[in-house]
Structure formats: C-alpha cells, structure tokens
Amino acid sequence: MKALSQVGKYGLRAILYLVAYPSENSYMSIRQISDELNLSFHFVTKIFRELTAKGILISYRGPSGGVALARPADQIMLIDVVKALEGEDYFDKCLIGLPHCGTAKPCPVHEFWKETKVKIQQNFTETSLASLSEKIRSQEFRLDE
Amino acid sequence: MKALSQVGKYGLRAILYLVAYPSENSYMSIRQISDELNLSFHFVTKIFRELTAKGILISYRGPSGGVALARPADQIMLIDVVKALEGEDYFDKCLIGLPHCGTAKPCPVHEFWKETKVKIQQNFTETSLASLSEKIRSQEFRLDE
DNA sequence: TTTATTTCGGACTAATTACTCTGAAATTTA
DNA sequence: TAAATTTCAGAGTAATTAGTCCGAAATAAA
C-alpha cells in the first residue's frame, strides 16, 4: 500500500533525522542530512523549501546556515508534515476515487474506509516528531539502509 | 490518502458493476460496463485482460461475448482483486519506504503502520464481491457520478 | 572586500503511470 | 461464406511524478 509519495517519504525521513540528531541550538545543513540518509541533496532541498514555506521549518542561508524546526519537536505532529507534503485533503479521498463520496452518497466501501482513515489520522495527530525522535535515538528504530 | 492507482480504482468499480448487475447467466460486454460507469472503454479492457489472466474473470470473444466472474461472487474477495491489480506485495510496504523494514530493523512508525495494514487486509479478506454487490443493488451505495 | 558556504527559485530531464489506438483473432449471426 | 461483434495484444501518446541542475541571493569568515 503506497500511502505516501516519494516527496512524503523522503521528507519524513529527512525531518526525522533533523529532529533526532539536532546540532546544539543551531541549524543543520541539508547536505549533512541528505548525505547521512543517502538521499538526493537537491531533492531534499526542494522538499525542505516546501516545509519552510509551510512554516514547519525555518532556514538560514550562508556558512553555518541550514534548517531547523520552526517549533519545538513536541509541538509538530506527524500529521502536520504529511499534510504539508501530500496536501490538506490527504484524508478526504474515496478509496475507489468517487468525487463526492460521503455519508449521503457513499461508495460500497465508504464506511470501512472512513473509519480506517480516521484511525490513521488520529494516530498521526497524536504522534509528535519528538516522540519519534526518541525512538530513533534509542537505536531500536532506523531511518535508512 | 491515495491507496489505489487508477488501475485499482477503475478495476474495482468495473468489476463491482459486473457483479451488481449480472446478465442472466451469460457474459457482459466491457462496452456496457465502461459506458455505464463513464470510464474509458480501452482502459477498462486493458484492466480486465489482467483480471482474466489472473483467473478472476473469464472472457469470451465475439457477439454476445464479454466477461464474467470466474468463480461465484461470494468466493471472490476484495483482497483478490486488489492484489491482482496492485501487486501481491501490496500490504508489505513500509510507510516511509525503507527496503527491509520489519520487526528486526523497524522504522519509527513500523508498529502502528503494520497494525493498520493488518486491519485493512483483514477487512479486504473478509469482504466478498457478493456482499458489496448487495449494497450496490440496494441503491444506497453507488459506483459513479 | 573577497571567497566560501548555504538556501532559494525555477527550468529542465527522466521515469512512471495513465490512457489511446490500431489491427488481429475468435466467435456469432445473417 | 461474409459481416458484425467482441476480446486480445501491444505499440504509441499524454500527463504526472520524480529527480537533476544551474545560477542567484544571503550570509559568514578570511
């Protein structure tokens, strides 16, 4: 089940690295992140520009510049990043692609799919980048290879 | 959340139409299905060829030919159609795209995502085309517009 | 002030997915 | 047998997504 585009996947991995291995109250360069995760530097740059435009990251140019979280990691939820990269309507899609699928005129799998989306959305809304970064730092969870 | 490709979406809608409005123990033409659902005839034809090759449909050429289910509708599960059109590995994908994400080396969202996939897979495994076709015939659920 | 470093902006190319089209093969009907 | 109807096969085209690249702008350090 391909739930995220490449932009979403790379974006999540990259921002999680940024959160999990923060430079002491300063910016981290995109180059470092893309090198560590073996992702295309240019592609990550493009994705991060989007996250900066959406107010999730802040950036600074020049030597010792880079990117940083715009808010503390416990105040940025998974859902914020996903919606920023995949679109605000991410959880509003009908499984079989009907335009105005809803309670009034549902498709045959509407009810089940709606419940599924609600559960995922709840989890993403409750999960902060901070909680995920702890897992990564604990070495039990990984972001690449 | 775009869980299915266009092939998957159109394929499901088309086969559900076939099941919901069966011609009396005979074949239904792809033209009728694509016309009713306002889908591209050629595209549906291509998708149905795949379902025929996978043993989900049978087909017959010539006048009064068309397609039909290879088995009774209560013996074809949603998961059969989805896997035929989206790939057998449909439920084996890591959310953030890590190659060998599993219990041994999980990504930070592995556990939650695994549970989510299991629930969807269970539902798809339990849901037959027959049960969905009843819903459609009841007029409370739709396949187009 | 010059040079190096970094993000920004956007044009460009490559790959994949989505869809179209044409003709062949099978089959029925006239 | 001839004509009409239908799927089969696969090449071709269009649109979208993925990824690359280059130069400009900002900033820091030499």
Side-chain angles (χ1 to χ4, degrees), chain B residues 51-100:
Chain B
L51 290 176
T52 302
K54 293 267 168 67
I56 291 174
L57 298 179
I58 51 176
S59 63
Y60 206 77
R61 291 195 252 196
S64 79
V67 292
L69 296 187
R71 306 191 294 278
D74 61 357
Q75 289 171 35
I76 300 178
M77 302 298 159
L78 203 46
I79 197 169
D80 301 326
V81 182
V82 169
K83 282 192 170 181
L85 296 177
E86 301 286 338
E88 285 296 319
D89 62 346
Y90 184 69
F91 292 103
D92 305 335
K93 307 268 180 66
C94 168
L95 181 65
I96 61 175
L98 297 191
H100 306 101

Side-chain angles (χ1 to χ4, degrees), chain A residues 63-94:
Chain A
S64 79
V67 293
L69 296 187
R71 307 191 293 278
D74 60 357
Q75 289 170 36
I76 300 178
M77 303 299 159
L78 203 45
I79 197 170
D80 301 327
V81 182
V82 169
K83 283 193 170 180
L85 295 177
E86 301 285 339
E88 285 296 320
D89 61 347
Y90 184 69
F91 291 103
D92 304 336
K93 306 267 181 67
C94 169

Side-chain angles (χ1 to χ4, degrees), chain A residues 117-136:
Chain A
K117 286 185 295 187
V118 165
K119 280 175 195 156
I120 297 172
Q121 190 162 12
Q122 277 171 355
N123 183 278
F124 283 12
T125 303
E126 291 162 2
T127 305
S128 70
L129 297 190
S131 70
L132 292 174
S133 77
E134 281 168 31
K135 292 188 169 192
I136 298 163

Side-chain angles (χ1 to χ4, degrees), chain A residues 1 90 100 105-106 123 142, chain B residues 1 90 100 105-106 112 142:
Chain A
M1 196 169 64
Y90 184 69
H100 305 101
K105 284 201 146 210
N123 183 278
R142 70 198 172 107
Chain B
M1 196 168 62
Y90 184 69
H100 306 101
K105 285 202 146 212
F112 166 74
R142 70 197 173 111

